[in-house]
Amino acid sequence: MRKNIVAGNWKMNTTVPEGVALAKEVNQQLANAKHNCDVVICVPFTHLTSVAAVIDQKVLGLGAENCSEYESGAYTGEVSADMVASTGAGYVILGHSERRQYFKENNEQLLAKCRLALKNNLTPIFCVGEVLEERENGTYNEVVKHQIEALFDLTAEDFAKIIVAYEPVWAIGTGKTATADQAQDMHANIRAVIAEKYGKEIADNTSILYGGSCKPTNAKELFSKPDVDGGLIGGAALKADSFMGIVEAFN
Ligand code: PGA
């Protein structure tokens, strides 16, 4: 059966010493408390090696926030999936709306990134989600379907390794959370789209996380929905206490 997962997305926040301290604190709190979900932190590239050195990845998983669509070579400034994996990280966020919006990442690039992540044994956390205009004009189910379909060139075996994160863009960092019912409806839509292509078993086993202003105060209600398998957490992942408050929503 699919796993419940709470993943942090630190974005472009914290220096290396600050990040190491935060990771240590989260790891310690997790080691001391019972929790009923997998917990992952996705951190800036610069932090991966130092964070890997201070956490126990059996307790707290580690991921990057992006990787290159290219394997290696003359791509100044890029970081490959192979490099990310060599730090000891096991996950990578791909297709976050900020990457799609500000860095113009498209479906073709995201498929290439997913393939390279999987080739290097990284678990992609693949983000999808509509913008406000698409929510308001009613096209959101179609929009998200097309984003998911971008990965449909993957084999069933490969697709089965992916974690999906539904993050309505209008809810990210805005304090405006989707209602639990809106999240549930979209997650059920995503699962149906996956089932149509890869079958019910793979769809049922895919973890689909909700992201967008998820906080300790609303996590329990969101996670109580049958198709919401956890969260991808931005702002609230930057303090151990609020991040742990979300992890505890599964207790
Ligand atoms: P937020 O970000 O929790 O700060 O809204 C979520 C995300 O962008 O992954």
Side-chain angles (χ1 to χ4, degrees):
M1 226 12 224
R2 59 186 181 253
K3 287 180 181 166
N4 290 326
I5 302 164
V6 172
N9 171 15
W10 289 5
K11 309 193 181 187
M12 198 170 73
N13 292 298
T14 75
T15 61
V16 173
E18 287 163 358
V20 165
L22 175 58
K24 263 189 187 166
E25 201 181 338
V26 171
N27 190 87
Q28 193 168 11
Q29 291 200 28
L30 283 170
N32 292 340
K34 98 170 167 58
H35 51 279
N36 294 323
C37 59
D38 285 4
V39 186
V40 177
I41 48 174
C42 296
V43 307
F45 293 131
T46 43
H47 298 36
L48 287 167
T49 302
S50 312
V51 168
V54 299
I55 64 172
D56 174 0
Q57 287 192 53
K58 289 197 283 300
V59 174
L60 176 60
L62 178 63
E65 300 172 14
N66 181 29
C67 71
S68 177
E69 72 205 81
Y70 304 111
E71 194 142 19
S72 68
Y75 299 102
T76 301
E78 286 289 277
V79 175
S80 69
D82 179 33
M83 292 171 187
V84 171
S86 73
T87 68
Y91 299 82
V92 60
I93 295 174
L94 293 175
H96 190 279
S97 63
E98 289 150 17
R99 304 284 328 163
R100 293 176 190 262
Q101 193 178 343
Y102 306 140
F103 303 97
K104 307 287 175 252
E105 293 190 1
N106 61 38
N107 287 346
E108 200 181 10
Q109 290 168 304
L110 292 174
L111 175 62
K113 288 177 185 221
C114 267
R115 284 195 200 284
L116 285 170
L118 291 165
K119 184 175 170 194
N120 288 284
N121 296 318
L122 297 172
T123 299
I125 301 175
F126 184 71
C127 303
V128 296
E130 80 283 1
V131 300
L132 184 60
E133 191 192 342
E134 294 158 342
R135 170 59 56 176
E136 287 176 346
N137 69 20
T139 57
Y140 48 94
N141 280 329
E142 275 303 297
V143 166
V144 170
K145 180 172 189 253
H146 287 312
Q147 291 172 335
I148 294 281
E149 283 172 348
L151 300 187
F152 280 3
D153 275 350
L154 295 177
T155 62
E157 192 192 346
D158 273 348
F159 191 90
K161 295 174 187 154
I162 286 180
I163 298 167
V164 174
Y166 168 58
E167 301 201 305
V169 179
W170 47 271
I172 295 177
T174 57
K176 214 173 145 186
T177 323
T179 65
D181 287 337
Q182 284 174 323
Q184 168 57 29
D185 284 352
M186 180 57 87
H187 285 222
N189 169 49
I190 291 170
R191 214 178 289 288
V193 169
I194 297 171
E196 208 175 301
K197 168 72 182 173
Y198 291 110
K200 188 172 178 331
E201 191 180 341
I202 287 183
D204 281 346
N205 285 327
T206 302
S207 295
I208 307 177
L209 316 183
Y210 169 79
S213 300
C214 187
K215 300 181 278 277
T217 46
N218 58 28
K220 217 179 178 76
E221 196 192 347
L222 286 160
F223 299 171
S224 71
K225 294 293 174 184
D227 287 297
V228 179
D229 308 312
L232 181 58
I233 319 300
L238 292 171
K239 292 266 183 303
D241 286 347
S242 51
F243 189 55
M244 287 302 297
I246 295 171
V247 169
E248 282 158 14
F250 276 118
N251 286 355

